[in-house]
Amino acid sequence: MTKLKLGIPKGSLEEATIALFKQAGWTIAPRSRNYYPDVDDPELACALVRAQEMAPYVANGTLDLGLTGLDWIMETQAEVSQVCTLTYSKASNQRSRWVLLVREDSPVRTVADLKGCKVATELVGFTRRYLDERGVDASVEFSWGATEAKVVEGLVDAAVEITETGSTIRAHGLRIVEDLLYTETRLIANPRALDDPVKRAKIDQIALMLQAALAARHKVALKLNIRAALIDEIVALLPSLHAPTVSHLYDPEWLAVETIVDVEAVRTLIPRLRAAGAEGILEYELRKML
């Protein structure tokens, strides 16, 4: 049996990625001091690879499929096929962004002001190209970590760093000058693997189920009972993919209603439904949504 070689990002995305695969239907079990986790699918072989290195390994065929950020695809300029976008991270289901940051008292107000400055970042190739395209002559050096601290301590003039909310940056007395790149996780494949009918079918299966699992995270299902005389008022309150499902109960004066709504809408919707006469309101999570 030909196995599809799947790369799981090691590090900050590892736990979130394994949880996403679990929701999608695959159990991946890392083993202590081992870079090859077990997976409950005989058609898959998994390897833990740093997100920064994922795209080159997929491009050269060491892996058939992998997950990494758009930032590292752009950084390495690896020739891979982007199968789909999967917007999740270690802390949320939101995109992250690479920002140019400086000390609060820095005279730098725009990227153009970096001329002659020293910039620290992990995203060296992208940053150099970004500055070159704008005619900014600055020194860009690789940072092994603690990048924000180097700006705070005055070791560099600025940094290009990744953030989700920017709260940590502000807490360190730093200021965001400009957003350089929005990034999110991408499922990437080796182009030759996509040309193989067997591997392509497996890749399509994985992509479909991961997207279904992520889509479900943004929705919940609501079920409720309502007197038949009030159904029009209730339906007017309910958003739905198409229209809510309405069915008769044993008592002909009552109806059961079921619908799918955005997670964020529930806190305001349920009180309104209750005020409109709904009873027996149930909310439950979804596992997958297609």
Side-chain angles (χ1 to χ4, degrees), residues 226-232 248 252-255:
I226 189 69
R227 288 188 177 277
L230 300 174
I231 188 60
D232 289 340
H248 289 275
E253 293 187 2
W254 285 84
L255 299 171

Side-chain angles (χ1 to χ4, degrees), residues 61-270:
T62 301
L63 298 169
D64 298 308
L65 190 67
L67 296 96
T68 189
L70 173 62
D71 46 1
W72 297 115
I73 300 171
M74 297 180 70
E75 171 70 7
T76 61
Q77 297 184 303
E79 296 184 2
V80 296
S81 296
Q82 298 186 35
V83 179
C84 65
T85 297
L86 302 167
T87 306
Y88 74 98
S89 66
K90 64 180 179 180
S92 70
N93 293 321
Q94 305 296 323
R95 294 189 300 171
S96 297
R97 55 189 174 131
W98 286 87
V99 299
L100 173 65
L101 57 91
V102 297
R103 287 171 54 159
E104 189 61 52
D105 59 359
S106 170
V108 174
R109 296 293 169 180
T110 68
V111 170
D113 296 333
L114 290 176
K115 183 177 180 180
C117 291
K118 183 184 292 185
V119 183
T121 184
E122 291 184 65
L123 210 65
V124 173
F126 171 85
T127 301
R128 284 176 177 161
R129 291 190 295 272
Y130 188 94
L131 296 178
D132 287 345
E133 289 168 2
R134 289 155 181 79
V136 178
D137 183 15
S139 172
V140 181
E141 62 179 41
F142 180 76
S143 174
W144 293 94
T147 308
E148 294 176 9
K150 294 173 182 176
V151 182
V152 174
E153 295 165 6
L155 300 177
V156 295
D157 301 296
V160 173
E161 182 67 303
I162 193 168
T163 183
E164 288 187 40
T165 65
S167 58
T168 302
I169 292 172
R170 292 188 292 272
H172 289 165
L174 301 174
R175 170 169 50 85
I176 295 175
V177 176
E178 193 170 311
D179 295 344
L180 305 190
L181 172 67
Y182 279 88
T183 185
E184 53 207 329
T185 306
R186 301 288 172 91
L187 183 66
I188 58 173
N190 178 280
R192 293 182 297 280
L194 288 175
D195 290 335
D196 181 318
V198 174
K199 290 184 176 181
R200 178 60 184 259
K202 192 66 180 178
I203 291 170
D204 288 345
Q205 177 199 14
I206 292 171
L208 177 68
M209 299 308 290
L210 291 178
Q211 289 178 97
L214 269 184
R217 292 183 178 183
H218 299 281
K219 303 285 185 179
V220 295
L222 287 182
K223 296 182 71 173
L224 55 94
N225 295 333
I226 189 69
R227 288 188 177 277
L230 300 174
I231 188 60
D232 289 340
E233 181 179 350
I234 289 293
V235 170
L237 293 174
L238 292 175
S240 177
L241 289 175
H242 298 292
T245 300
V246 179
S247 55
H248 289 275
L249 298 180
Y250 181 76
D251 184 338
E253 293 187 2
W254 285 84
L255 299 171
V257 180
E258 184 171 2
T259 192
I260 306 297
V261 301
D262 292 335
V263 171
E264 294 81 5
V266 172
R267 64 188 181 192
T268 55
L269 180 58
I270 287 182

